[in-house]
Amino acid sequence: MENIMTKSNYICACGIDMVEYARLFTYAPLTEDTCAVTGYTGSEPSSLVIPAQDPEGRRVVAIGDRAFANQASLRAVTLPDSVESVGRRAFAFCTGLLDIRTSAESRLASVGDRAFMGCERLTVLRLGRLHSLTSFGRSAFAYCTRLRSVVLPEGMTELAPSLFEGCTALEHIHLPESLTAIRTAAFSACKSLRVLTLPASLRVIEDCAFAWCGHLTDLRLPESPCVISGSAFMECYALEDVLKVG
């Protein structure tokens, strides 16, 4: 994990036990040994390092639904390797959030519906090293209006409906070679997207998947059979160059 200095780990470096910092968070037990983080009781944070365990020693394996939603002051969040899921709307409309930090050893497997929706200051998502990450919920990153570049991990097989809908600054997307389906409106209204290469594994592109991508000019389709909805590229008026690639 990146070596970062936040208010949280600075306090710990000055001698306060990490357990005391962990008490600033709220938790919900999941099993005898595991729990979910459900909120934060400290003052408005600019940076949060989610504890790997609660004060009773239970492993933190989940971020609860709406746990940190609407925290406008939050700029960076670090997830411990133990976290396997991020709940619905967990960080929705954290309008100042710039940085989501994980390590290559992260066990993160799923991100829930609208988990980061409306995080308008996010600019880059580099998720390629998160090999356990296989599932995004509906609209998980929708309307992140400054998001420019996304790298998705290998092993992911489908992209959820409206996943990046309304990400109007998105210019670059790296799709995994394992991808088989792009669901409804996954990239609709991504009006800065210009070049798109679809992997050979792709079999389905649903309604409005890339609708209203008005600057898309270069589309490279796989040679393998792929069912493409008639509205998948609706109102992509600039689309001129469609190539099939093996």
Side-chain angles (χ1 to χ4, degrees), residues 118-122 141-148 166-170:
C119 292
E120 59 189 34
R121 293 191 68 184
L122 276 179
F141 293 95
Y143 302 102
C144 292
T145 53
R146 298 186 193 180
L147 186 62
R148 297 193 313 270
C167 292
T168 53
L170 186 62

Side-chain angles (χ1 to χ4, degrees), residues 189-206:
C190 291
K191 64 182 183 180
S192 296
L193 193 63
R194 296 177 183 274
V195 178
L196 179 64
T197 299
L198 301 175
S201 57
L202 194 62
R203 296 294 178 266
V204 176
I205 304 175
E206 290 188 349

Side-chain angles (χ1 to χ4, degrees), residues 159-205:
L159 300 184
S162 301
L163 179 57
F164 294 103
E165 181 178 3
C167 292
T168 53
L170 186 62
E171 298 174 345
H172 172 261
I173 175 73
H174 173 78
L175 299 173
E177 293 299 324
S178 54
L179 190 66
T180 61
I182 299 176
R183 299 302 182 192
T184 302
F187 294 94
S188 69
C190 291
K191 64 182 183 180
S192 296
L193 193 63
R194 296 177 183 274
V195 178
L196 179 64
T197 299
L198 301 175
S201 57
L202 194 62
R203 296 294 178 266
V204 176
I205 304 175

Side-chain angles (χ1 to χ4, degrees), residues 11-226:
I11 290 173
C12 294
C14 287
I16 295 179
D17 194 287
M18 189 63 184
V19 172
E20 293 303 315
Y21 175 64
R23 293 188 193 282
L24 295 175
F25 294 82
T26 56
Y27 306 87
L30 300 175
T31 69
E32 183 178 342
D33 300 318
T34 64
C35 66
V37 168
T38 57
Y40 180 74
T41 63
S43 58
E44 292 185 357
S46 62
S47 181
L48 288 176
V49 179
I50 307 299
Q53 61 182 30
D54 72 4
E56 281 68 50
R58 290 173 297 205
R59 284 188 304 114
V60 172
V61 297
I63 309 297
D65 293 351
R66 301 176 184 267
F68 304 102
N70 302 301
Q71 293 273 6
S73 65
L74 187 61
R75 299 290 182 267
V77 60
T78 300
L79 303 179
D81 293 344
S82 59
V83 166
E84 299 170 7
S85 66
V86 175
R88 291 173 294 181
R89 297 181 182 265
F91 296 93
F93 300 102
C94 289
T95 53
L97 186 62
L98 294 163
D99 199 0
I100 305 165
R101 300 171 180 176
T102 63
S103 83
E105 287 72 44
S106 173
R107 299 175 190 170
L108 184 63
S110 65
V111 174
D113 294 352
R114 301 174 177 83
F116 294 93
M117 184 179 186
C119 292
E120 59 189 34
R121 293 191 68 184
L122 276 179
T123 59
V124 177
L125 282 178
R126 295 190 181 96
L127 305 174
R129 63 181 181 173
L130 299 183
H131 301 299
S132 60
L133 181 57
T134 58
S135 174
F136 286 125
R138 178 184 292 269
S139 303
F141 293 95
Y143 302 102
C144 292
T145 53
R146 298 186 193 180
L147 186 62
R148 297 193 313 270
S149 179
V150 174
V151 178
L152 297 174
E154 291 298 329
M156 186 163 286
T157 59
E158 69 173 60
L159 300 184
S162 301
L163 179 57
F164 294 103
E165 181 178 3
C167 292
T168 53
L170 186 62
E171 298 174 345
H172 172 261
I173 175 73
H174 173 78
L175 299 173
E177 293 299 324
S178 54
L179 190 66
T180 61
I182 299 176
R183 299 302 182 192
T184 302
F187 294 94
S188 69
C190 291
K191 64 182 183 180
S192 296
L193 193 63
R194 296 177 183 274
V195 178
L196 179 64
T197 299
L198 301 175
S201 57
L202 194 62
R203 296 294 178 266
V204 176
I205 304 175
E206 290 188 349
D207 293 343
C208 299
F210 295 93
W212 303 288
C213 291
H215 288 90
L216 183 62
T217 59
D218 188 346
L219 173 63
R220 298 168 185 265
L221 295 171
E223 286 189 347
S224 53
C226 182

